[in-house]
Amino acid sequence: MPVNTEKPEINPLSSAAPLHLACAHLRDAWTALRVNGTPHNRSAPYSLGSAGSESQEFIWKAAEFAIVFAADSVLDHLRALALSYEAAARSQTTWSANEWPGVTSYTSARAILEGCALVGWFTNPDIDAEERLRRGARIRLWSLSEEQAGPNPPPKEALKFWREKIEDCGMRFRKYGRGWGIEVDGEPRNYSHQAAIKELVPTIGRKFYHEWSGLAHHVSWAFADWGRMRVNEETSALRFVFKTHADRHVILVSNLAGIVTTAGNSFARYFGRSSDALLAAYEQVFAYLEAEFPHIEAAQRRMDVERDGEH
């Protein structure tokens, strides 16, 4: 029996449509950033990675591998975020709860924030080559520390190898909690998402990370105002009724647009390439969601009335 693979058109009346289209636009802009093959500026920080000793180049290139992988991971989660809204955006009727991603969007958002923070922290255009090398060492030792905490710790030879490379560059290797780091201003330091997020989004980045992590980790305080308990009078069955909170998703995607653009701009400048397409995407997404916000709030009120009338 043949299967119909044609998708219905995006329903412009759906409150999910602006979210899907905005996320898809960010996804495409980030893709263009990643596959940009134009000649890069020879004076860009990327060109300095092979200017030092063998150990310095090794650490620098290992960090570049980490941030390029993180950039690809950001793209994967942007794809997932766009897909999460697609079913509801294409629904030609009032879409069901099964078509709405709810809090799962915040798990993707958290991963995007972490990936963007890692990318932005290493590629930050305002740091010099010496600081970038230190950050590269901290990223690598953070990875080893995370591996050490898992079920298959790295072999001692791996730690010895990286310690020699780091000390050969004039940095001091230090024990850091359960893992390892380098000495910075007399204190042991390795990489942390919290520090990188604070640098990428100075005023409210930590707040985002806290809230989005709460939803991703299923802690009760994070769900406190997302819905209410409902008891069936006939069966006494108890269930938690979630509201759609489409307006919160608009704010989420708007904030992500700024985060992705900030990290992408640093990434592009590090490799000496243009980020104009990403900046244009940010302006379009932000203006689009701002214009759609009143319509989404109105649609949400209608859906809340319909749902609250159910038994």
Side-chain angles (χ1 to χ4, degrees), residues 11-134:
N11 180 6
L13 299 179
S14 169
S15 60
L19 297 167
H20 169 65
L21 294 172
C23 289
H25 201 45
L26 289 174
R27 174 202 63 201
D28 294 344
W30 189 268
T31 300
L33 179 73
R34 287 288 295 110
V35 300
N36 187 337
T38 58
H40 72 274
N41 184 344
R42 296 297 177 181
S43 63
Y46 169 73
S47 302
L48 301 177
S50 57
S53 68
E54 180 183 346
S55 293
Q56 290 173 332
E57 182 178 359
F58 204 91
I59 291 171
W60 194 293
K61 294 304 179 185
E64 284 181 350
F65 175 85
I67 64 108
V68 168
F69 182 84
D72 283 350
S73 180
V74 167
L75 178 57
D76 288 341
H77 284 91
L78 284 170
R79 289 170 176 154
L81 194 61
L83 287 170
S84 71
Y85 297 114
E86 185 173 11
R90 294 186 186 279
S91 177
Q92 298 303 304
T93 60
T94 301
W95 40 267
S96 70
N98 287 336
E99 297 170 328
W100 182 246
V103 297
T104 62
S105 298
Y106 288 80
T107 302
S108 292
R110 179 180 184 269
I112 291 168
L113 177 57
E114 287 181 341
C116 285
L118 178 58
V119 169
W121 193 69
F122 181 75
T123 63
N124 186 334
D126 297 326
I127 62 175
D128 58 22
E130 185 177 354
E131 171 61 15
R132 203 178 309 278
L133 183 65
R134 285 195 293 267

Side-chain angles (χ1 to χ4, degrees), residues 198-245:
K198 185 177 181 180
E199 181 173 290
L200 185 74
V201 194
T203 54
I204 50 178
R206 296 285 292 274
K207 178 178 180 290
F208 291 158
Y209 195 47
H210 177 67
E211 292 177 352
W212 300 353
S213 295
L215 292 167
H217 292 152
H218 321 294
V219 291
S220 57
W221 62 260
F223 291 88
D225 61 347
W226 277 77
R228 56 186 174 81
M229 303 300 293
R230 172 176 282 179
V231 179
N232 186 294
E233 295 179 357
E234 296 179 0
T235 64
S236 297
L238 182 69
R239 65 190 180 100
F240 193 81
V241 181
F242 277 92
K243 293 188 176 183
T244 56
H245 291 294

Side-chain angles (χ1 to χ4, degrees), residues 11-19 88 93-95 100 243-247 250 292-308:
N11 180 6
L13 299 179
S14 169
S15 60
L19 297 167
T93 60
T94 301
W95 40 267
W100 182 246
K243 293 188 176 183
T244 56
H245 291 294
D247 55 337
V250 174
E292 290 292 327
F293 190 71
H295 305 296
I296 289 174
E297 281 191 313
Q300 179 177 295
R301 284 193 295 270
R302 289 194 300 270
M303 292 177 67
D304 286 346
V305 169
E306 292 175 6
R307 183 189 53 254
D308 289 342

Side-chain angles (χ1 to χ4, degrees), residues 134-195:
R134 285 195 293 267
R135 293 189 176 195
R138 291 168 68 178
I139 289 170
R140 184 58 203 169
L141 290 176
W142 164 69
S143 178
L144 283 171
S145 299
E146 292 295 307
E147 191 178 1
Q148 173 69 23
N152 299 305
K156 293 181 179 179
E157 292 77 10
L159 179 61
K160 181 175 181 293
F161 172 84
W162 282 103
R163 179 169 187 166
E164 289 174 352
K165 292 290 184 185
I166 287 166
E167 291 180 341
D168 187 47
C169 295
M171 293 178 278
R172 187 178 177 187
F173 182 92
R174 291 282 300 272
K175 190 79 171 68
Y176 184 81
R178 66 184 183 184
W180 309 282
I182 64 170
E183 185 174 294
V184 179
D185 298 329
E187 298 291 334
R189 292 284 184 269
N190 68 3
Y191 172 80
S192 76
H193 286 313
Q194 291 85 350

